[in-house]
Amino acid sequence: MSAPRPDVLIAGAGPTGLVLALWLARAGVRPRVIDKAPGPGLASRAMAVQARTLEFYRQLGVADGVVAGGLLMSGARFWDRGRLAALLPLGDIGAGISPFPMVLSYPQDDHERFLIERLCEAGVAVEWNTELVGLRQSADRVHARLRANGVETESEHAYLCGCDGAHSAVRHALGVGFPGAKYDSRFYVADVAGEGWSPGSFVNVSLGRGTICLGFPVRRAGMVRFIGVLPAELAARDDLTFDDVRPISEQLLGLRTTDVNWFSTYSVHHRVAEAFRVGRVFLSGDAGHVHSPAGGQGMNTGIGDAVNLAWKLAAVLRGTAAPAVLDSYEAERQRFARTLVASTDRAFGFLVGGGLRGWLMRRVVMPRVLPLAVKVPAVRRAMFGLISQTRIEYRPSPLSVGGAGRVRAGDRLPWLGEPDNFAPLASRDWQVHVYGEVGTALREVAARAGLEVHRFAWSAACRRVGFARDAIYLVRPDGHVGFAARQTTMAGLTAYLERFGLHG
Ligand SMILES: Cc1cc2nc3c(=O)[nH]c(=O)nc-3n(C[C@H](O)[C@H](O)[C@H](O)COP(=O)(O)OP(=O)(O)OC[C@H]3O[C@@H](n4cnc5c(N)ncnc54)[C@H](O)[C@@H]3O)c2cc1C
């Protein structure tokens, strides 16, 4: 007997497409995954794996493997004209906020290979050398035109996800605009060996006039990844080699380069797609948004899109949620992408800006103010929340209703620490959390809907993270609160479950 036809076609097997496929496969939905490349990517590209990504990976049972393969960053070192000016300890910057309180460095090529292996274990093999070249939609199907070995075929599915990167063929076929612009600055990236200092487990940062250079460990072997902004006098040239940027990067970071493994220059755009969904077709990852690399957010945002879309598609295809939940994908992720593009724009402008602002940043803020500020717990929490993506909220989403205590529907469920209220999220099912006592009426409503109820004893920690005692928190499969209210009446919860057709 032949295998059932996959309901979802995923175009693009970068990090976004791979995580989407893995989550779907684990939810019992077998996707078809195609990629026009002959095999997995070979460049290390994105290095930072943020805490929110690791929280999702924990839900998929793969976080330990990713953490074991990567390198925990213990801090940031600021360099001023080749001299070490300040050290910022970051090792546990998110303590009490996330089970993963750190920044992990894990090269994107290793990361992709890891995901491909997990996907194979789940019974899904990526079809390489297979390009999406066109698509059309009918009332209940998407028809994709694929080209492999010079032969075109049509592949028919309930949904298509364009995870095919910044030049997305899916986005072009939909006619969806990608407004934004190119940054004037151009970037360079190099993997080098050097002497003078070891990258250790530090992000090394040095600002120069109109330029910035970051250096961090690539792999455990001691190579250093330089990412920098080309000074204006080099930016227009397209014949650059590492020797052209050697003086500036060595001067900024005080490292003498002995060997160069890889050197490349690239331009960066900041753009957000006008739509993330057209009918039965979705855009995720770089296909939907691109921005400056400041803060290491790009790949993590694609993975966040993938998780957001995967659980919704799986629930609709399995009939455990109404198709209306899919409407929330664009509302939630396009809004986040726009916020991110704006904030990375601002951060980037600050870092490479000229004039007095640039001077203040280079000589005062980075080396002197930041190391002191980060000792203040509220500043540490704010910095971690921003960079780790643990502060992402979907409050205006059509899927967010109510609130209790300081926790509003749409927020990521706050982490308690002890007891570990994230442990039940491994089921990747809708679930009810109560911090305090569970009444009979709530138990009955939850049982009728097939929802697990998880009760945690009320404690000072519950109050500290913002929960209200005895309140109902209906938690989505991705760990965000969908509905929250006091337990006094079940009317709101019942209406919510009915409206979105939710049942376990
Ligand atoms: C030099 C560099 C450094 C970077 N550093 C960072 C960093 O430090 N932190 C960070 O978060 N991000 C970084 N990024 C960005 C990060 O690499 C991307 O955000 C990330 O790869 C996006 O993943 P994706 O899966 O959405 O798209 P991609 O990784 O671009 O994957 C898209 C896939 O789709 C395939 N494809 C394209 N067209 C088709 C088609 N028509 N049919 C079938 N398949 C198709 C491609 O072959 C590719 O495999 C960096 C990028 C670069 C270039």
Side-chain angles (χ1 to χ4, degrees):
M1 211 172 70
S2 62
R5 209 165 40 189
D7 283 314
V8 180
L9 175 66
I10 299 175
T16 306
L18 292 170
V19 171
L20 177 60
L22 187 58
W23 193 291
L24 284 174
R26 293 284 180 82
V29 173
R30 202 170 61 88
R32 178 174 187 190
V33 189
I34 58 157
D35 197 297
K36 72 175 182 184
L42 297 175
S44 49
R45 301 201 284 167
M47 304 288 287
V49 181
Q50 305 293 356
R52 189 71 186 116
T53 297
L54 291 170
E55 290 174 358
F56 292 138
Y57 282 178
R58 183 182 177 203
Q59 291 188 261
L60 286 166
V62 302
D64 290 348
V66 171
V67 171
L71 187 64
L72 295 181
M73 304 308 285
S74 55
R77 292 193 297 207
F78 292 106
W79 297 80
D80 186 7
R81 289 162 286 184
R83 279 184 310 103
L84 185 60
L87 194 149
L88 209 67
L90 297 174
D92 61 348
I93 182 169
I97 300 173
S98 169
F100 303 97
M102 67 290 193
V103 174
L104 183 79
S105 171
Y106 189 36
Q108 188 171 330
D109 50 347
D110 290 351
H111 192 160
E112 288 179 13
R113 273 199 305 276
F114 175 88
L115 292 170
I116 288 166
E117 282 166 20
R118 302 292 80 75
L119 199 53
C120 276
E121 287 164 7
V124 180
V126 177
E127 297 172 48
W128 301 105
N129 290 310
T130 307
E131 181 177 5
L132 181 140
V133 290
L135 66 95
R136 67 186 169 85
Q137 302 195 55
S138 55
D140 58 353
R141 308 300 283 172
V142 184
H143 307 261
R145 224 160 10 93
L146 310 184
R147 189 186 298 137
N149 303 317
V151 178
E152 283 197 13
T153 51
E154 194 174 87
S155 192
E156 188 192 311
H157 305 268
Y159 296 100
L160 163 64
C161 304
C163 306
D164 49 348
H167 304 288
S168 172
V170 174
R171 195 186 62 237
H172 285 295
L174 292 172
V176 168
F178 203 31
K182 190 163 91 170
Y183 284 109
D184 293 335
S185 309
R186 284 185 71 223
F187 292 75
Y188 65 91
V189 52
D191 282 354
V192 302
E195 48 191 41
W197 49 261
S198 149
S201 53
F202 293 95
V203 181
N204 295 275
V205 184
S206 188
L207 302 182
R209 196 172 301 184
T211 181
I212 177 172
C213 188
L214 303 183
F216 41 96
V218 181
R219 303 184 199 266
R220 291 174 194 275
M223 293 293 284
V224 183
R225 157 70 58 83
F226 280 159
I227 293 188
V229 171
L230 291 169
E233 62 275 17
L234 297 179
R237 282 179 47 192
D238 54 11
D239 60 341
L240 294 177
T241 66
F242 182 73
D243 282 335
D244 294 298
V245 299
R246 184 192 296 272
I248 175 93
S249 44
E250 289 190 349
Q251 187 225 341
L252 282 174
L253 281 171
L255 181 80
R256 211 175 63 76
T257 316
T258 53
D259 198 13
V260 183
N261 236 3
W262 177 50
F263 174 76
S264 181
T265 60
Y266 58 103
S267 299
V268 175
H269 295 245
H270 48 118
R271 299 177 185 277
V272 179
E274 275 168 348
F276 276 29
R277 176 188 184 182
V278 177
R280 297 182 157 268
V281 184
F282 298 85
L283 295 173
S284 305
D286 276 17
H289 44 79
V290 289
H291 45 81
S292 115
Q297 303 290 310
M299 179 188 71
N300 293 276
T301 306
I303 292 171
D305 293 344
V307 170
N308 191 292
L309 182 57
W311 73 258
K312 292 170 185 172
L313 279 175
V316 170
L317 285 165
R318 284 177 4 204
T320 56
V325 300
L326 289 172
D327 295 338
S328 64
Y329 170 70
E330 178 177 276
E332 294 177 356
R333 297 306 296 181
Q334 192 186 39
R335 170 175 166 265
F336 176 64
R338 286 192 169 135
T339 314
L340 185 68
V341 167
S343 58
T344 50
D345 254 5
R346 268 197 309 276
F348 186 58
F350 261 112
L351 291 175
V352 298
L356 181 63
R357 194 175 66 171
W359 182 87
L360 276 173
M361 205 64 197
R362 287 194 301 277
R363 302 279 171 262
V364 184
V365 177
M366 286 295 218
R368 299 190 208 293
V369 179
L370 211 53
L372 289 178
V374 85
K375 291 191 174 136
V376 179
V379 175
R380 286 173 75 80
R381 276 200 302 276
M383 273 177 64
F384 180 76
L386 193 68
I387 291 175
S388 65
Q389 303 205 342
T390 52
R391 258 205 348 226
I392 291 182
E393 46 77 15
Y394 305 132
R395 290 183 180 186
S397 167
L399 220 50
S400 302
V401 176
R406 295 196 310 279
V407 179
R408 316 308 304 166
D411 292 355
R412 159 185 165 278
L413 185 78
W415 184 58
L416 267 188
E418 200 51 55
D420 184 358
N421 60 332
F422 276 19
L425 301 181
S427 74
R428 300 184 303 281
D429 284 327
W430 284 88
Q431 53 196 266
V432 175
H433 282 213
V434 174
Y435 299 83
E437 299 304 322
V438 185
T440 316
L442 175 57
R443 283 207 187 281
E444 284 172 5
V445 172
R448 270 203 302 279
L451 298 170
E452 289 257 14
V453 178
H454 298 278
R455 188 187 86 79
F456 301 87
W458 181 253
S459 65
C462 297
R463 190 192 315 276
R464 178 178 53 79
V465 300
F467 289 124
R469 189 171 191 156
D470 300 342
I472 308 165
Y473 295 99
L474 177 63
V475 184
R476 314 178 344 173
D478 59 359
H480 283 260
V481 175
F483 171 88
R486 299 269 172 192
Q487 225 182 114
T488 41
T489 160
M490 293 302 119
L493 177 61
T494 311
Y496 184 92
L497 294 172
E498 277 172 11
R499 182 167 147 210
F500 295 109
L502 301 177
H503 54 87

